[in-house]
Every structure is written in structure tokens, then in C-alpha cells.
Amino acid sequence: MVHEPIDVGFADDLLGKLSSLFAQYGDAFRVFSPITQSHIYVLSHPDHARHVLVTHHDNYTKGIGIERVGILLGNGIMVSEGELWRRQRKMIQPAFHRSVISGMLQHIAAANLQLSDKWVGYANRKQEINVTQEMSEITLRVVLRAIFGPDIDKMSTPTGANPFSLLTEETERNLAFAYKFRLLTKLVMECVDRRRTQNEKHSDLLGVMMAARDRKSGEPMADRQLLDEVMTLIVAGHETTASALNWMWYLLSQNPEIEKRLHQEVDNLQSLPITLEDTMRFAYTRQVIEETLRLYPPGWLLTRRSIEADNIGGYSIAPKTEIFISPYLLHRHPQFWDQPERFDPDRFEPDRIEQRNRFVYLPFALGPRACIGEHFAMAEMVLHTALLARRVHLHYVPKGSVELEGQVNLRSKHHIYMQLEIRRP
Ligand code: HEM
């Protein structure tokens, strides 16, 4: 195995470095991080992903990546481990049941229809849009509505502004941001208290989590834990979808043939999708999103730490060893993907998926710690794409380069701008 020194600070173009080391050394290499004074194994074969995330998952905790977001998320399910994580996951899972998601679709559709009216207005005025910013705003709106239901309208600052807007206005995810973000737990607690005193029952994510009871003890979540879970869902549900949709619009603008096929599908829309099954019928739209998530997986780096010694595909792993599994690298693995750099949604036709090793595609991770919001996110992204692509066509406006930024999420380094053309007034 090859040894290379590496700085694991995200500021140091970790994505670029890992990509070039992968190109040089392939499936397995080891780097040394002078900052943490530890070795990190970077494993990029689907068998490695299956081993660490699925078959031997109980020998791994989350690694250094998660320590970065701990200050932001507290001890919510993204961060917690062991018995606490297991209990919380069971209690939160019902909030992502198909019926709960279906109940949210009309709100998601309404928010996107409103956005499409706004975009048509921009198009009429020949005003370009900042897609990166627009995606950040719409996905924040959707996730907040999903969590707080109609109560989100009651949660405003003294000046009437949305108190959560710092998530779209501030791009840094540093300590100063974490401090301001955590102050918002006060507002969330007020919302929880109001619901309790007025004995209100809601079917939004907060409502389902407040009603959840631990199977063994019959107890609800402690307030502090509930707050950590709410803050986790806000962050996990916002930036990921925002970044995926930002890349999707960019990719569509660069691939007119694919956009044309997408238009054929979304132009057939007879009525608004109101169940999860309805959103499944947008087969090509889904493929476009899946292919976007292949090329630009928002959660581009999964970090894990071994508990006991292990052997992964012939490599001996000592206890407490850091492991990186990068969906970004696996999704571009030349052994498993033909012309990996090409944007080709046909890769996600059902028979082609079946022929492929299923552990080589993991935008939502795999195994017990896979994304809890996958179906919600897919439904949200399909609805957004269908409703917006019907109304407008987006032309890329070059303003500087399009570059990747592998922070906690895979973002575009610079904002992406588009000119709008009306398809349906
Ligand atoms: C395009 C959209 C999304 C992508 C690509 C994505 C990706 C991921 C990935 C890769 C993980 C695993 C992280 C790790 O193992 O370190 C994860 C976990 C998680 N995601 Fe998502 N996610 C998306 C949307 C959402 C949404 C909409 C929500 C909620 C509203 C959500 C909530 C969570 C939570 C709570 C976890 C932690 C689960 C656990 O550890 O039990 N995600 N997501």
C-alpha cells in the first residue's frame, strides 16, 4: 500500500488531492495527516464500501469528518453512536414513512409553483438568476415547512424576517456560524412549548418526533435530544438537496439533448403528483437526478473509524484507524463506469442498474447509517425539476469558472448564474 502525506483540512482542496491520488494508486492507499497525526486509509472499491458500511458496520463509528459537524448538530442522529443512535433512529424513522412524505408533497409543489411564477417574472424582465442562491432558498423553505408545518410562519425575527435565513445568506460553516445557528434552538423550543401547552398534534416531522415513544421505556425524547434532531434535519436536509439541484441545472444547461428528453417527460404532466408513487412515474427525471448525484454526490466523503482490528480486502486495519470512503471516487471508478466523466442518465435505466455492482453507487451512503431522508429528498427533487423545467429553460451564463468545492458537502466554488427563457407562461 502506498503512503502519502495529506492535510485533511477541507480548506486544503482535499477533494482534488484525493482524486489525483486515486488516479495514481487506485482502490486502496494510505495517507498520513500531519494535523491529526494519524494514518487514513482511502478505500474505493465497492467491496470495501460494502464491508465497512454494510457487512461489518458495527465495527465502525463515524470518523473525523463527523467531528467537524458535531458543534453544529449536537448529538443528533448524524453524529450519535451505539444505543443512543439506534434508539433515536427507530424513533425518527416514522417521520420519513411514505405516508408522511406523501402528506408533504402538496406543500413542496406549492413552494415550487410559486418559485416557477417568480422565475417567469424574471424571464419577462430578462433578469438572470443566481441558481446556487435560488436552490439554497427553495430547499431551505421546503425542509423548514416539512419540519415545522404551518408553524414556520410564526417563527420570525422581530423584524419579520425568516430567522433561519442565515443558512442561505452565510456560506461559511465555521464556529461563528455554528454559534449563531445553535441560538435558533431557542425558537424551536418555543414552538415545541407552544404545541404542548395548546395540546396541538401535527403530522410534520417535528410533530411525529414529539409523539414518538421509545419502545422499551415508553418515554418521549428528552427536549435537548429533540432539539439536536431538529437542528440535524435542517442542516442535513438543506445543503444536500440545494447542492444536488444546483449541479443538476448546470448539467442540463450543458446537455441540450438530455434536457430535451426531460422536457418530453415533464410536459406530459396532467395533474400535480400527490403521492410518492406519482413522483416515481417521472422515470427519466429521476434518472437525471440520479446521474447528477453520481457525478456530484453532495455527501462526497464518508469518514469512519474502526473499533476493533479488521481486515478489509486483504488490508490489515488496526483498531481506531481512520477510513475514508468517497462516493465521489467510487462514482467515477473507471473499472465500473464506462466514460465516468460523461453525464448520461441512461446509466440508470432499470436493466443497467441490475447489471452493475450495487455497492459502486452510494450517494445516500449504504447500510444502517444510510440517509434517512433519501425518499423525501428524491421526491422533493423530482417535483422541483418537473415543475420548473415545464415552465422555463435555463441558459448558462458564464461568469468565471465552474469549480468543485469539497467541503462537508460538494458545492460549486462560485455561484452559478442562468438566463431564463419561458416555455409555458
Ligand atoms: C440529495 C439529498 C441528500 C443526500 C445526497 C444525502 C446524503 C446523505 C449521506 C451520504 C448520509 C450518510 C452520512 C455518513 O454516513 O456520514 C446521510 C445521512 C443522513 N441524512 Fe441525508 N442526504 C440527502 C438529503 C437528506 C434529507 C432531505 C434529510 C432530512 C430531511 C436527510 C437527513 C439525513 C440524516 C438525519 C442522516 C443521518 C442518518 C443516520 O446516521 O442514521 N438527508 N445523508
Side-chain angles (χ1 to χ4, degrees), residues 53 62-63 66 76-80 85 89 92-93 96 143 146-147 205 229 232-245 289 293 296-304 327 362-366 368-378 380-381 409:
L53 302 174
K62 295 227 170 162
I66 214 66
I77 53 166
M78 183 71 88
V79 174
S80 60
W85 168 77
R89 177 98 191 192
I92 297 171
Q93 198 75 55
F96 290 92
V143 80
I147 295 171
L205 300 181
E229 303 303 0
T232 295
L233 293 183
I234 297 173
V235 173
H238 167 235
E239 286 205 356
T240 43
T241 36
S243 130
L245 291 174
I289 295 165
L293 293 173
Y296 302 111
W300 69 279
L301 183 64
L302 306 175
T303 71
R304 294 293 186 269
L362 57 164
F364 295 99
L366 296 164
R369 299 234 40 171
C371 179
I372 203 169
E374 173 176 354
H375 300 299
F376 175 89
M378 283 305 291
E380 174 189 357
M381 292 188 290
N409 280 306

Side-chain angles (χ1 to χ4, degrees), residues 127-131 250 253-254 394-402 415-420:
Q127 203 176 324
E128 67 188 25
I129 57 163
N130 177 338
V131 173
Y250 173 70
S253 76
Q254 304 301 301
L394 277 66
H395 296 273
Y396 174 62
V397 179
K399 285 198 186 189
S401 54
V402 172
H415 285 185
I416 294 177
Y417 293 84
M418 299 274 177
Q419 198 61 254
L420 298 163

Side-chain angles (χ1 to χ4, degrees), residues 224-235:
R224 173 142 202 118
Q225 190 65 37
L226 179 66
L227 292 178
D228 281 351
E229 303 303 0
V230 168
M231 301 320 264
T232 295
L233 293 183
I234 297 173
V235 173

Side-chain angles (χ1 to χ4, degrees), residues 134-149:
E134 294 282 309
M135 290 308 100
S136 180
E137 286 171 17
I138 183 70
T139 52
L140 181 64
R141 214 169 136 200
V142 164
V143 80
L144 291 177
R145 184 67 174 69
I147 295 171
F148 299 109

Side-chain angles (χ1 to χ4, degrees), residues 48-195:
H48 303 153
R50 184 180 52 184
H51 181 109
V52 174
L53 302 174
V54 186
T55 52
H56 294 69
H57 72 87
D58 50 3
N59 190 41
Y60 294 88
T61 57
K62 295 227 170 162
I64 38 181
I66 214 66
E67 280 150 22
R68 272 165 225 284
V69 292
I71 303 164
L72 209 54
L73 308 181
N75 216 11
I77 53 166
M78 183 71 88
V79 174
S80 60
E81 299 285 356
E83 203 35 55
L84 173 64
W85 168 77
R86 222 177 317 278
R87 195 185 71 209
Q88 288 303 116
R89 177 98 191 192
K90 278 196 192 124
M91 285 170 89
I92 297 171
Q93 198 75 55
F96 290 92
H97 190 271
R98 309 179 80 78
S99 60
V100 180
I101 301 175
S102 285
M104 289 167 181
L105 293 186
Q106 55 167 310
H107 300 297
I108 301 179
N112 281 290
L113 284 172
Q114 213 179 9
L115 180 66
S116 72
D117 287 340
K118 186 176 120 185
W119 281 12
V120 166
Y122 283 151
N124 279 325
R125 296 195 295 277
K126 306 223 174 320
Q127 203 176 324
E128 67 188 25
I129 57 163
N130 177 338
V131 173
T132 314
Q133 186 65 23
E134 294 282 309
M135 290 308 100
S136 180
E137 286 171 17
I138 183 70
T139 52
L140 181 64
R141 214 169 136 200
V142 164
V143 80
L144 291 177
R145 184 67 174 69
I147 295 171
F148 299 109
D151 284 352
I152 189 62
D153 301 327
K154 298 181 196 151
M155 299 161 84
S156 58
T157 63
T159 59
N162 176 354
F164 294 94
S165 57
L166 79 154
L167 281 141
T168 63
E169 285 158 9
E170 296 187 19
T171 48
E172 292 292 331
R173 292 293 176 258
N174 51 19
L175 266 181
F177 175 83
Y179 177 74
K180 280 190 248 170
F181 180 67
R182 291 302 299 191
L183 285 180
L184 295 170
T185 51
K186 188 165 170 282
L187 277 181
V188 178
M189 200 58 226
E190 283 167 11
C191 176
V192 171
D193 285 339
R194 204 165 40 235
R195 286 183 178 196

Side-chain angles (χ1 to χ4, degrees), residues 1-8 12 14 16-26 28-42 324:
M1 184 171 291
V2 186
H3 304 242
E4 288 272 346
I6 201 165
D7 180 351
V8 289
D12 195 35
L14 184 58
K17 281 190 184 154
L18 292 181
S19 298
S20 59
L21 290 171
F22 174 67
Q24 212 176 339
Y25 304 120
F29 55 90
R30 197 170 79 153
V31 293
F32 180 75
S33 161
I35 294 180
T36 60
Q37 285 290 307
S38 61
H39 283 106
I40 301 165
Y41 284 71
V42 184
F324 281 180

